[in-house]
Amino acid sequence: MKKQTRRDFLAATAAGATAIAAPGILRAEPLVLRWADGQPASHPSPQSAVKAAAEIKEKTGGRIDVQSFPNGQLGSSRDMVESVASGALTMVTEGAAQLGQFVPQISIIEAPYIWKDAAHVTRALKSPLMDELNQVLVAKRGMRMIGVNYYGVRHLTSGRKPIHSVEDMKGFKLRVPEVDTFRAMAEAWGARPTPLNFSELYLALSQGAVDGQENPLPTIASAKLAEVQKYLVLTAHIITPRLVIVNEAAWQKIPQADRDIVVAAIDKAAAWQDQEILDQEKGLVDGLTKAGMSVSTPDNEAFRKPVLASVPAKFESKWGKGLWDRIQAL
């Protein structure tokens, strides 16, 4: 796939907008939906977008052409979400915490230690809670969730020293996404949170600008972080679902029959991705060990306690009173 720059993309936006505006099922030109992702093309997330695109093209008889742009080609996480909100970009797959900058309540879905296990995540995502959050996202920011996928359990890595306990995190320069809940978690550990876009992470680690980072095992592997990080620390501090977000105005201009096809294809591809991530997680501790990483499991309760002592209370006004307890009860 030819890499497209932001300039190329913006130059093509007018043509896409013209296609979206055309009413009815039959169109002389296919409707182009541009779908961005910050993950590299080797990661299951962009791969699932490619699978969904093929299904959508087939089921619509070519009426809809979904174009995938992985690896942050169209900007940082924040840039891509803002582009969807403005209508310059049709779709993006992004973490819930990143969406929390636009609709604060949504960031709770990716809060540290809120999920007991993957089954708990599934129950919550199938509950009325998601419909409620989606209604807020549509009303306040003109975006809509049309898919959810499993991104994995997040763990720490370190380049310069092993991490055996939460005390080892004091003064540790930890790269975190550019969102406040992750910063608060790092601060609760005594670390120095360093917000950084994912596309800049490998270089920052290689140059020692940050000491370490945190991500699920498939992301650590696909981004080749074992080349620049020596220690893998199995903290399991966050279970991350990622959301497929679409511009609401563009979505409403698509005929209902085609919207149904798009959602069904995204759901089917997400099921493939969920299983692929789960399968990779089972084998990647061994795989990353063979790649040269030293793997350890710390006292995870010691990591959990300072975060739960501060983060839920700190963000209650942002998330809404009682929402944390409601999710815990699901």
Side-chain angles (χ1 to χ4, degrees), residues 42 157-160 201-208 211 213 219-232 287-294:
S42 57
T157 67
S158 170
R160 66 181 178 88
L201 177 57
Y202 184 98
L203 182 61
L205 292 169
S206 68
Q207 294 180 341
D211 299 321
Q213 62 86 53
T219 303
I220 293 168
S222 65
K224 304 186 186 303
L225 298 187
E227 297 175 353
V228 290
Q229 294 278 272
K230 173 65 177 174
Y231 303 99
L232 172 61
L288 291 168
T289 300
K290 291 175 182 177
M293 298 193 83
S294 175

Side-chain angles (χ1 to χ4, degrees), residues 1-329:
M1 177 183 296
K2 179 178 181 290
K3 183 172 180 179
Q4 186 179 51
T5 66
R6 281 179 63 80
R7 179 178 295 178
D8 294 334
F9 166 72
L10 292 172
T13 299
T18 299
I20 289 173
I25 293 289
L26 297 177
R27 299 181 180 87
E29 297 293 334
L31 169 63
V32 175
L33 306 181
R34 294 176 174 84
W35 186 352
D37 197 316
Q39 293 301 311
S42 57
H43 189 276
S45 181
Q47 290 174 354
S48 74
V50 172
K51 289 179 177 293
E55 179 95 357
I56 291 165
K57 186 173 184 178
E58 177 187 349
K59 292 295 175 65
T60 64
R63 289 191 303 275
I64 296 180
D65 177 18
V66 177
Q67 298 178 356
S68 176
F69 297 93
N71 205 33
Q73 289 181 43
L74 301 184
S76 69
S77 293
R78 187 180 185 93
D79 289 339
M80 291 186 289
V81 175
E82 287 179 340
S83 291
V84 173
S86 71
L89 175 64
T90 320
M91 300 164 62
V92 66
T93 302
E94 191 48 76
Q98 190 66 238
L99 270 293
Q101 298 182 72
F102 303 89
V103 176
Q105 300 95 311
I106 291 179
S107 69
I108 199 170
I109 299 172
E110 202 176 358
Y113 302 112
I114 193 167
W115 304 118
K116 300 166 189 173
D117 49 35
H120 184 201
V121 179
T122 299
R123 288 196 302 275
L125 296 181
K126 290 182 178 179
S127 76
L129 170 65
M130 290 303 292
D131 289 335
E132 294 168 21
L133 293 175
N134 211 5
Q135 289 170 12
V136 176
L137 183 62
V138 171
K140 290 191 174 181
R141 296 304 308 223
M143 296 183 285
R144 176 182 295 271
M145 291 181 269
I146 57 171
V148 181
N149 53 54
Y150 175 65
Y151 187 56
V153 180
R154 302 179 83 102
H155 305 284
L156 290 172
T157 67
S158 170
R160 66 181 178 88
K161 68 173 186 178
I163 303 294
H164 298 298
S165 70
V166 72
E167 285 76 21
D168 294 327
M169 294 299 293
K170 287 183 170 58
F172 186 87
K173 291 185 292 184
L174 179 66
R175 177 270 171 182
V176 294
E178 299 169 286
V179 292
D180 51 6
T181 48
F182 280 73
R183 289 195 296 270
M185 174 187 70
E187 289 167 351
W189 289 335
R192 293 167 54 193
T194 306
L196 194 66
N197 190 53
F198 185 80
S199 63
E200 302 168 339
L201 177 57
Y202 184 98
L203 182 61
L205 292 169
S206 68
Q207 294 180 341
V210 291
D211 299 321
Q213 62 86 53
E214 54 77 51
N215 259 304
L217 299 179
T219 303
I220 293 168
S222 65
K224 304 186 186 303
L225 298 187
E227 297 175 353
V228 290
Q229 294 278 272
K230 173 65 177 174
Y231 303 99
L232 172 61
V233 190
L234 299 176
T235 47
H237 50 276
I238 293 175
I239 301 176
T240 294
R242 293 180 91 220
L243 310 175
V244 180
I245 305 297
V246 66
N247 175 269
E248 175 68 3
W251 185 245
Q252 292 302 326
K253 290 175 183 174
I254 300 172
Q256 183 62 55
D258 283 352
R259 291 206 302 261
D260 292 343
I261 289 170
V262 171
V263 170
I266 289 173
D267 286 347
K268 181 178 177 180
W272 171 86
Q273 177 185 329
D274 293 354
Q275 190 58 54
E276 180 67 18
I277 293 285
L278 288 167
D279 290 345
Q280 288 191 20
E281 286 184 315
K282 291 175 185 176
L284 273 173
V285 169
D286 287 343
L288 291 168
T289 300
K290 291 175 182 177
M293 298 193 83
S294 175
V295 181
S296 63
T297 302
D299 178 359
N300 283 340
E301 186 59 27
F303 276 82
R304 179 192 302 265
K305 285 177 68 175
V307 174
L308 291 182
S310 60
V311 172
K314 182 175 182 177
F315 289 92
E316 184 178 54
S317 61
K318 174 178 179 174
W319 292 332
K321 187 174 179 62
L323 186 55
W324 179 281
D325 291 337
R326 178 183 171 189
I327 291 174
Q328 289 288 291

